[in-house]
mmCIF file of all heavy atoms in Angstrom:
data_model
loop_
_atom_site.group_PDB
_atom_site.id
_atom_site.type_symbol
_atom_site.label_atom_id
_atom_site.label_comp_id
_atom_site.label_asym_id
_atom_site.label_seq_id
_atom_site.Cartn_x
_atom_site.Cartn_y
_atom_site.Cartn_z
ATOM 1 N N ALA A 260 -60.535 -10.464 69.369
ATOM 2 C CA ALA A 260 -59.106 -10.569 69.144
ATOM 3 C C ALA A 260 -58.403 -10.919 70.421
ATOM 4 O O ALA A 260 -58.881 -10.658 71.502
ATOM 5 C CB ALA A 260 -58.551 -9.247 68.631
ATOM 6 N N SER A 261 -57.219 -11.542 70.309
ATOM 7 C CA SER A 261 -56.396 -11.783 71.485
ATOM 8 C C SER A 261 -54.944 -11.733 71.076
ATOM 9 O O SER A 261 -54.629 -11.353 69.962
ATOM 10 C CB SER A 261 -56.750 -13.120 72.127
ATOM 11 O OG SER A 261 -56.488 -14.170 71.245
ATOM 12 N N ASP A 262 -54.043 -12.142 71.949
ATOM 13 C CA ASP A 262 -52.609 -11.966 71.770
ATOM 14 C C ASP A 262 -52.130 -12.597 70.465
ATOM 15 O O ASP A 262 -52.199 -13.798 70.279
ATOM 16 C CB ASP A 262 -51.890 -12.615 72.957
ATOM 17 C CG ASP A 262 -50.406 -12.327 72.926
ATOM 18 O OD1 ASP A 262 -49.909 -11.769 71.927
ATOM 19 O OD2 ASP A 262 -49.750 -12.667 73.927
ATOM 20 N N SER A 263 -51.610 -11.779 69.538
ATOM 21 C CA SER A 263 -51.201 -12.275 68.233
ATOM 22 C C SER A 263 -49.947 -13.121 68.294
ATOM 23 O O SER A 263 -49.591 -13.768 67.318
ATOM 24 C CB SER A 263 -50.963 -11.091 67.286
ATOM 25 O OG SER A 263 -49.931 -10.261 67.781
ATOM 26 N N SER A 264 -49.281 -13.162 69.420
ATOM 27 C CA SER A 264 -48.076 -13.973 69.540
ATOM 28 C C SER A 264 -48.401 -15.422 69.843
ATOM 29 O O SER A 264 -47.530 -16.281 69.807
ATOM 30 C CB SER A 264 -47.186 -13.425 70.658
ATOM 31 O OG SER A 264 -47.824 -13.559 71.919
ATOM 32 N N LYS A 265 -49.655 -15.728 70.125
ATOM 33 C CA LYS A 265 -50.038 -17.079 70.488
ATOM 34 C C LYS A 265 -50.265 -17.924 69.245
ATOM 35 O O LYS A 265 -50.931 -17.536 68.304
ATOM 36 C CB LYS A 265 -51.314 -17.064 71.319
ATOM 37 C CG LYS A 265 -51.207 -16.254 72.609
ATOM 38 C CD LYS A 265 -50.297 -16.904 73.620
ATOM 39 C CE LYS A 265 -50.308 -16.137 74.944
ATOM 40 N NZ LYS A 265 -49.470 -16.761 75.950
ATOM 41 N N ALA A 266 -49.742 -19.140 69.248
ATOM 42 C CA ALA A 266 -50.025 -20.147 68.241
ATOM 43 C C ALA A 266 -49.971 -19.560 66.830
ATOM 44 O O ALA A 266 -49.048 -18.851 66.485
ATOM 45 C CB ALA A 266 -51.382 -20.791 68.528
ATOM 46 N N GLN A 267 -51.008 -19.878 66.002
ATOM 47 C CA GLN A 267 -51.020 -19.448 64.613
ATOM 48 C C GLN A 267 -51.854 -18.185 64.405
ATOM 49 O O GLN A 267 -52.302 -17.926 63.310
ATOM 50 C CB GLN A 267 -51.589 -20.587 63.748
ATOM 51 C CG GLN A 267 -50.738 -21.839 63.738
ATOM 52 C CD GLN A 267 -49.428 -21.637 63.030
ATOM 53 O OE1 GLN A 267 -49.356 -20.908 62.065
ATOM 54 N NE2 GLN A 267 -48.377 -22.290 63.489
ATOM 55 N N ARG A 268 -52.082 -17.415 65.421
ATOM 56 C CA ARG A 268 -52.961 -16.259 65.271
ATOM 57 C C ARG A 268 -52.375 -15.249 64.287
ATOM 58 O O ARG A 268 -51.184 -14.957 64.297
ATOM 59 C CB ARG A 268 -53.207 -15.584 66.630
ATOM 60 C CG ARG A 268 -54.074 -16.437 67.539
ATOM 61 C CD ARG A 268 -54.443 -15.682 68.788
ATOM 62 N NE ARG A 268 -55.320 -16.478 69.615
ATOM 63 C CZ ARG A 268 -56.629 -16.529 69.470
ATOM 64 N NH1 ARG A 268 -57.209 -15.823 68.540
ATOM 65 N NH2 ARG A 268 -57.370 -17.289 70.263
ATOM 66 N N TYR A 269 -53.253 -14.729 63.455
ATOM 67 C CA TYR A 269 -52.848 -13.717 62.504
ATOM 68 C C TYR A 269 -52.948 -12.342 63.146
ATOM 69 O O TYR A 269 -53.684 -12.144 64.095
ATOM 70 C CB TYR A 269 -53.731 -13.790 61.251
ATOM 71 C CG TYR A 269 -53.641 -15.122 60.568
ATOM 72 C CD1 TYR A 269 -54.678 -16.043 60.643
ATOM 73 C CD2 TYR A 269 -52.491 -15.473 59.873
ATOM 74 C CE1 TYR A 269 -54.583 -17.282 60.034
ATOM 75 C CE2 TYR A 269 -52.386 -16.712 59.268
ATOM 76 C CZ TYR A 269 -53.433 -17.609 59.344
ATOM 77 O OH TYR A 269 -53.335 -18.832 58.746
ATOM 78 N N ASN A 270 -52.218 -11.413 62.601
ATOM 79 C CA ASN A 270 -52.244 -10.045 63.129
ATOM 80 C C ASN A 270 -52.787 -9.120 62.055
ATOM 81 O O ASN A 270 -52.024 -8.524 61.299
ATOM 82 C CB ASN A 270 -50.844 -9.615 63.552
ATOM 83 C CG ASN A 270 -50.847 -8.242 64.186
ATOM 84 O OD1 ASN A 270 -51.880 -7.771 64.667
ATOM 85 N ND2 ASN A 270 -49.701 -7.590 64.185
ATOM 86 N N PRO A 271 -54.103 -9.009 61.942
ATOM 87 C CA PRO A 271 -54.674 -8.191 60.868
ATOM 88 C C PRO A 271 -54.316 -6.723 61.044
ATOM 89 O O PRO A 271 -54.566 -6.135 62.077
ATOM 90 C CB PRO A 271 -56.188 -8.398 61.030
ATOM 91 C CG PRO A 271 -56.338 -9.584 61.919
ATOM 92 C CD PRO A 271 -55.134 -9.598 62.794
ATOM 93 N N ASP A 272 -53.759 -6.129 60.021
ATOM 94 C CA ASP A 272 -53.430 -4.711 60.083
ATOM 95 C C ASP A 272 -53.144 -4.216 58.672
ATOM 96 O O ASP A 272 -52.123 -4.542 58.085
ATOM 97 C CB ASP A 272 -52.212 -4.479 60.981
ATOM 98 C CG ASP A 272 -52.001 -2.998 61.270
ATOM 99 O OD1 ASP A 272 -52.530 -2.172 60.519
ATOM 100 O OD2 ASP A 272 -51.309 -2.680 62.246
ATOM 101 N N THR A 273 -54.046 -3.421 58.136
ATOM 102 C CA THR A 273 -53.869 -2.882 56.791
ATOM 103 C C THR A 273 -52.558 -2.115 56.680
ATOM 104 O O THR A 273 -51.905 -2.141 55.645
ATOM 105 C CB THR A 273 -55.036 -1.939 56.439
ATOM 106 O OG1 THR A 273 -56.253 -2.674 56.537
ATOM 107 C CG2 THR A 273 -54.904 -1.396 55.035
ATOM 108 N N THR A 274 -52.149 -1.444 57.751
ATOM 109 C CA THR A 274 -50.970 -0.595 57.672
ATOM 110 C C THR A 274 -49.699 -1.394 57.424
ATOM 111 O O THR A 274 -48.704 -0.842 56.986
ATOM 112 C CB THR A 274 -50.792 0.223 58.969
ATOM 113 O OG1 THR A 274 -50.644 -0.667 60.076
ATOM 114 C CG2 THR A 274 -51.990 1.111 59.199
ATOM 115 N N LEU A 275 -49.717 -2.685 57.694
ATOM 116 C CA LEU A 275 -48.545 -3.498 57.421
ATOM 117 C C LEU A 275 -48.356 -3.726 55.926
ATOM 118 O O LEU A 275 -47.279 -4.104 55.487
ATOM 119 C CB LEU A 275 -48.656 -4.850 58.139
ATOM 120 C CG LEU A 275 -48.652 -4.805 59.665
ATOM 121 C CD1 LEU A 275 -48.792 -6.203 60.227
ATOM 122 C CD2 LEU A 275 -47.374 -4.167 60.182
ATOM 123 N N THR A 276 -49.407 -3.501 55.133
ATOM 124 C CA THR A 276 -49.347 -3.749 53.707
ATOM 125 C C THR A 276 -48.836 -2.547 52.934
ATOM 126 O O THR A 276 -48.439 -2.663 51.789
ATOM 127 C CB THR A 276 -50.751 -4.132 53.182
ATOM 128 O OG1 THR A 276 -51.247 -5.192 53.986
ATOM 129 C CG2 THR A 276 -50.711 -4.595 51.740
ATOM 130 N N ILE A 277 -48.859 -1.379 53.546
ATOM 131 C CA ILE A 277 -48.414 -0.179 52.837
ATOM 132 C C ILE A 277 -47.113 0.334 53.442
ATOM 133 O O ILE A 277 -46.808 0.104 54.601
ATOM 134 C CB ILE A 277 -49.483 0.931 52.865
ATOM 135 C CG1 ILE A 277 -49.668 1.493 54.271
ATOM 136 C CG2 ILE A 277 -50.805 0.426 52.321
ATOM 137 C CD1 ILE A 277 -50.561 2.702 54.320
ATOM 138 N N VAL A 278 -46.352 1.020 52.610
ATOM 139 C CA VAL A 278 -45.122 1.679 53.050
ATOM 140 C C VAL A 278 -45.444 3.146 53.276
ATOM 141 O O VAL A 278 -45.866 3.856 52.347
ATOM 142 C CB VAL A 278 -44.004 1.529 52.004
ATOM 143 C CG1 VAL A 278 -42.757 2.273 52.466
ATOM 144 C CG2 VAL A 278 -43.701 0.056 51.764
ATOM 145 N N ILE A 279 -45.295 3.620 54.525
ATOM 146 C CA ILE A 279 -45.642 4.997 54.869
ATOM 147 C C ILE A 279 -44.474 5.915 54.559
ATOM 148 O O ILE A 279 -43.338 5.672 54.974
ATOM 149 C CB ILE A 279 -46.030 5.106 56.357
ATOM 150 C CG1 ILE A 279 -47.261 4.238 56.635
ATOM 151 C CG2 ILE A 279 -46.296 6.547 56.741
ATOM 152 C CD1 ILE A 279 -48.486 4.615 55.845
ATOM 153 N N ASP A 280 -44.762 6.989 53.829
ATOM 154 C CA ASP A 280 -43.718 7.953 53.466
ATOM 155 C C ASP A 280 -43.384 8.885 54.623
ATOM 156 O O ASP A 280 -42.232 9.162 54.898
ATOM 157 C CB ASP A 280 -44.171 8.792 52.268
ATOM 158 C CG ASP A 280 -44.411 7.933 51.030
ATOM 159 O OD1 ASP A 280 -43.740 6.901 50.900
ATOM 160 O OD2 ASP A 280 -45.272 8.299 50.216
ATOM 161 N N THR A 281 -44.419 9.402 55.282
ATOM 162 C CA THR A 281 -44.220 10.313 56.391
ATOM 163 C C THR A 281 -45.189 9.974 57.507
ATOM 164 O O THR A 281 -46.236 9.385 57.276
ATOM 165 C CB THR A 281 -44.469 11.771 55.954
ATOM 166 O OG1 THR A 281 -45.804 11.889 55.465
ATOM 167 C CG2 THR A 281 -43.485 12.202 54.883
ATOM 168 N N ALA A 282 -44.844 10.350 58.721
ATOM 169 C CA ALA A 282 -45.709 10.037 59.854
ATOM 170 C C ALA A 282 -46.934 10.938 59.900
ATOM 171 O O ALA A 282 -47.986 10.547 60.366
ATOM 172 C CB ALA A 282 -44.929 10.164 61.163
ATOM 173 N N VAL A 283 -46.801 12.169 59.420
ATOM 174 C CA VAL A 283 -47.895 13.133 59.502
ATOM 175 C C VAL A 283 -48.067 13.815 58.151
ATOM 176 O O VAL A 283 -47.096 14.141 57.479
ATOM 177 C CB VAL A 283 -47.630 14.195 60.586
ATOM 178 C CG1 VAL A 283 -48.776 15.204 60.620
ATOM 179 C CG2 VAL A 283 -47.451 13.531 61.951
ATOM 180 N N VAL A 284 -49.311 14.036 57.761
ATOM 181 C CA VAL A 284 -49.619 14.733 56.515
ATOM 182 C C VAL A 284 -50.513 15.926 56.824
ATOM 183 O O VAL A 284 -51.478 15.813 57.576
ATOM 184 C CB VAL A 284 -50.343 13.796 55.515
ATOM 185 C CG1 VAL A 284 -50.904 14.589 54.343
ATOM 186 C CG2 VAL A 284 -49.384 12.734 55.003
ATOM 187 N N ASN A 285 -50.176 17.073 56.255
ATOM 188 C CA ASN A 285 -51.043 18.244 56.349
ATOM 189 C C ASN A 285 -52.069 18.127 55.227
ATOM 190 O O ASN A 285 -51.820 18.515 54.087
ATOM 191 C CB ASN A 285 -50.234 19.528 56.203
ATOM 192 C CG ASN A 285 -51.113 20.773 56.292
ATOM 193 O OD1 ASN A 285 -52.318 20.694 56.481
ATOM 194 N ND2 ASN A 285 -50.489 21.931 56.142
ATOM 195 N N ILE A 286 -53.233 17.553 55.557
ATOM 196 C CA ILE A 286 -54.207 17.271 54.512
ATOM 197 C C ILE A 286 -54.760 18.546 53.896
ATOM 198 O O ILE A 286 -55.192 18.538 52.746
ATOM 199 C CB ILE A 286 -55.366 16.403 55.045
ATOM 200 C CG1 ILE A 286 -56.054 17.071 56.240
ATOM 201 C CG2 ILE A 286 -54.879 15.015 55.391
ATOM 202 C CD1 ILE A 286 -57.309 16.358 56.676
ATOM 203 N N ARG A 287 -54.757 19.645 54.644
ATOM 204 C CA ARG A 287 -55.282 20.895 54.097
ATOM 205 C C ARG A 287 -54.407 21.419 52.966
ATOM 206 O O ARG A 287 -54.877 22.129 52.081
ATOM 207 C CB ARG A 287 -55.440 21.927 55.210
ATOM 208 C CG ARG A 287 -56.603 21.583 56.146
ATOM 209 C CD ARG A 287 -56.676 22.489 57.351
ATOM 210 N NE ARG A 287 -57.816 22.138 58.190
ATOM 211 C CZ ARG A 287 -57.849 21.130 59.038
ATOM 212 N NH1 ARG A 287 -56.782 20.347 59.158
ATOM 213 N NH2 ARG A 287 -58.924 20.877 59.764
ATOM 214 N N ALA A 288 -53.123 21.034 52.997
ATOM 215 C CA ALA A 288 -52.240 21.414 51.900
ATOM 216 C C ALA A 288 -52.625 20.686 50.613
ATOM 217 O O ALA A 288 -52.262 21.111 49.517
ATOM 218 C CB ALA A 288 -50.781 21.094 52.256
ATOM 219 N N HIS A 289 -53.377 19.594 50.764
ATOM 220 C CA HIS A 289 -53.844 18.842 49.605
ATOM 221 C C HIS A 289 -55.316 19.140 49.318
ATOM 222 O O HIS A 289 -55.979 18.379 48.618
ATOM 223 C CB HIS A 289 -53.657 17.339 49.853
ATOM 224 C CG HIS A 289 -52.229 16.945 50.066
ATOM 225 N ND1 HIS A 289 -51.390 16.612 49.031
ATOM 226 C CD2 HIS A 289 -51.487 16.849 51.199
ATOM 227 C CE1 HIS A 289 -50.196 16.313 49.520
ATOM 228 N NE2 HIS A 289 -50.231 16.454 50.821
ATOM 229 N N LYS A 290 -55.827 20.242 49.902
ATOM 230 C CA LYS A 290 -57.207 20.675 49.716
ATOM 231 C C LYS A 290 -58.208 19.631 50.226
ATOM 232 O O LYS A 290 -59.271 19.441 49.650
ATOM 233 C CB LYS A 290 -57.465 21.009 48.244
ATOM 234 C CG LYS A 290 -56.614 22.157 47.726
ATOM 235 C CD LYS A 290 -56.950 22.484 46.281
ATOM 236 C CE LYS A 290 -56.086 23.650 45.780
ATOM 237 N NZ LYS A 290 -56.383 23.996 44.370
ATOM 238 N N LEU A 291 -57.821 18.951 51.305
ATOM 239 C CA LEU A 291 -58.703 17.984 51.943
ATOM 240 C C LEU A 291 -58.903 18.373 53.396
ATOM 241 O O LEU A 291 -58.077 19.074 53.985
ATOM 242 C CB LEU A 291 -58.103 16.570 51.880
ATOM 243 C CG LEU A 291 -58.005 15.926 50.498
ATOM 244 C CD1 LEU A 291 -57.150 14.665 50.576
ATOM 245 C CD2 LEU A 291 -59.390 15.583 49.960
ATOM 246 N N THR A 292 -59.981 17.907 53.985
ATOM 247 C CA THR A 292 -60.244 18.132 55.401
ATOM 248 C C THR A 292 -60.607 16.808 56.057
ATOM 249 O O THR A 292 -60.856 15.800 55.375
ATOM 250 C CB THR A 292 -61.421 19.110 55.604
ATOM 251 O OG1 THR A 292 -62.640 18.488 55.145
ATOM 252 C CG2 THR A 292 -61.193 20.409 54.858
#
């Protein structure tokens, strides 16, 4: 990978495809670890 601002380079990032509700989740509250 290199600078995504150059030319036609794509910026792969799954997180750009989802809308995050909260920054932090207490997964143990959902019975997960």
Side-chain angles (χ1 to χ4, degrees):
S261 63
D262 187 352
S263 61
S264 65
K265 301 291 185 178
Q267 296 292 325
R268 290 187 177 275
Y269 300 106
N270 184 21
D272 190 341
T273 302
T274 60
L275 295 179
T276 308
I277 68 172
V278 178
I279 298 300
D280 298 330
T281 59
V283 179
V284 169
N285 180 1
I286 57 172
R287 288 173 179 79
H289 299 272
K290 298 182 180 180
L291 292 169
T292 67

